[in-house]
Amino acid sequence: MVSDLYWRMGFGQIHAGLLIISLIATFYSKGTFRFLFAAVAIILLIFAWYRYQRWNGTPWRKVHGRGMLLYASCAGLEQAKATSEGRRFSIENACYDLAEKMCGQDKILEVMTMIGDLQDEQGLFLQDLILTNFHYVAQKSSPDSIHALAQAAESVKFGPHLVIANIIYNTHGPHEATRYAIALLKGDAH
C-alpha cells in the first residue's frame, strides 16, 4: 500500500524528503550552491503543488486517484490468487474488491447490486450520464463533440473506471460523475 502522505497529498515520502533536504541545503550553503539548492527546492515545491492540485483539485479527482491506487492493490491480490488457484485473472473480482473497499464492508448488498448493474450496462452508464447532464457541465461543447463522446462511451467495457464513476455518482451526484466521464473519455483522467 502507498504511504499515508501520498494518499492524502498526491506525492510521496521521497519527494517530501528531497524537498526538505534541498531546503536545508539552501539554508546552510553559500554562493552558487545556495542558488542551485534553492532552484531545486523551488522546482520540487512547484511539482508538489501541481501534484496536490491534480490529486485534490476536484471531487472526482479525489475519488479517481485513490480509487485507482486501491484498484492496483486489488488487481495485484486478484492476480496472485488467480495464479495460486490456476485460473485466469478476474476483473470482476478485482472490481468487486475495489468497490467493497471504497464503499465499506457494511454495504456488501449495494456493492453486489452495483457490480451486477455495471456489468450489464457497461459503457451505457457513462453514455447516459453524458447525454443526460452534458448541458450542465459542458455548456461550451458543441452537439457534435457531445455526440462523439456519447458514442465513445458506449464502447467502454466493464472495469475499475465504471466502478469509480458509479461511486462518484453516488457520492457527489450526476454532474460530477458526468465531469469524470468526460475527462475519462477525453483521456484527461490520470
Side-chain angles (χ1 to χ4, degrees):
M1 195 67 188
V2 298
S3 71
D4 190 49
L5 180 66
Y6 192 93
W7 185 262
R8 293 177 189 277
M9 305 296 282
F11 57 88
Q13 295 170 342
I14 292 173
H15 185 91
L18 290 173
L19 178 60
I20 291 169
I21 289 169
S22 64
L23 288 171
I24 291 170
T26 300
F27 182 72
Y28 285 110
S29 61
K30 295 186 187 311
T32 305
F33 286 113
R34 176 176 273 178
F35 174 75
L36 290 174
F37 286 123
V40 168
I42 289 170
I43 290 169
L44 290 170
L45 192 61
I46 289 170
F47 184 73
W49 178 251
Y50 168 78
R51 288 291 300 158
Y52 178 80
Q53 289 300 318
R54 295 288 293 181
W55 195 250
N56 293 307
T58 60
W60 73 258
R61 285 194 184 280
K62 290 178 183 180
V63 177
H64 169 76
R66 289 160 180 88
M68 291 308 291
L69 281 176
L70 277 175
Y71 180 72
S73 171
C74 294
L77 292 173
E78 171 57 23
Q79 182 61 50
K81 194 175 188 180
T83 301
S84 72
E85 293 174 0
R87 61 176 174 80
R88 297 181 72 150
F89 174 82
S90 169
I91 195 166
E92 291 83 9
N93 290 346
C95 285
Y96 178 83
D97 290 344
L98 166 67
E100 186 179 324
K101 286 180 180 177
M102 289 186 80
C103 297
Q105 292 182 344
D106 59 329
K107 306 253 190 238
I108 290 176
L109 290 175
E110 291 89 344
V111 166
M112 289 172 56
T113 303
M114 174 178 62
I115 296 297
D117 289 348
L118 290 175
Q119 284 177 316
D120 293 340
E121 295 175 18
Q122 298 200 30
L124 296 177
F125 173 70
L126 298 179
Q127 185 182 47
D128 183 56
L129 279 173
I130 291 168
L131 293 175
T132 305
N133 300 296
F134 79 89
H135 52 281
Y136 294 110
V137 298
Q139 297 167 345
K140 296 178 183 176
S141 297
S142 69
D144 290 338
S145 65
I146 296 301
H147 181 70
L149 281 174
Q151 291 254 207
E154 189 175 4
S155 65
V156 172
K157 301 292 181 206
F158 177 75
H161 294 94
L162 289 177
V163 174
I164 292 168
N166 194 280
I167 291 170
I168 292 169
Y169 179 87
N170 291 327
T171 306
H172 298 290
H175 298 159
E176 197 63 29
T178 304
R179 287 183 191 93
Y180 176 66
I182 291 170
L184 185 64
L185 294 166
K186 286 184 172 182
D188 294 335
H190 40 62

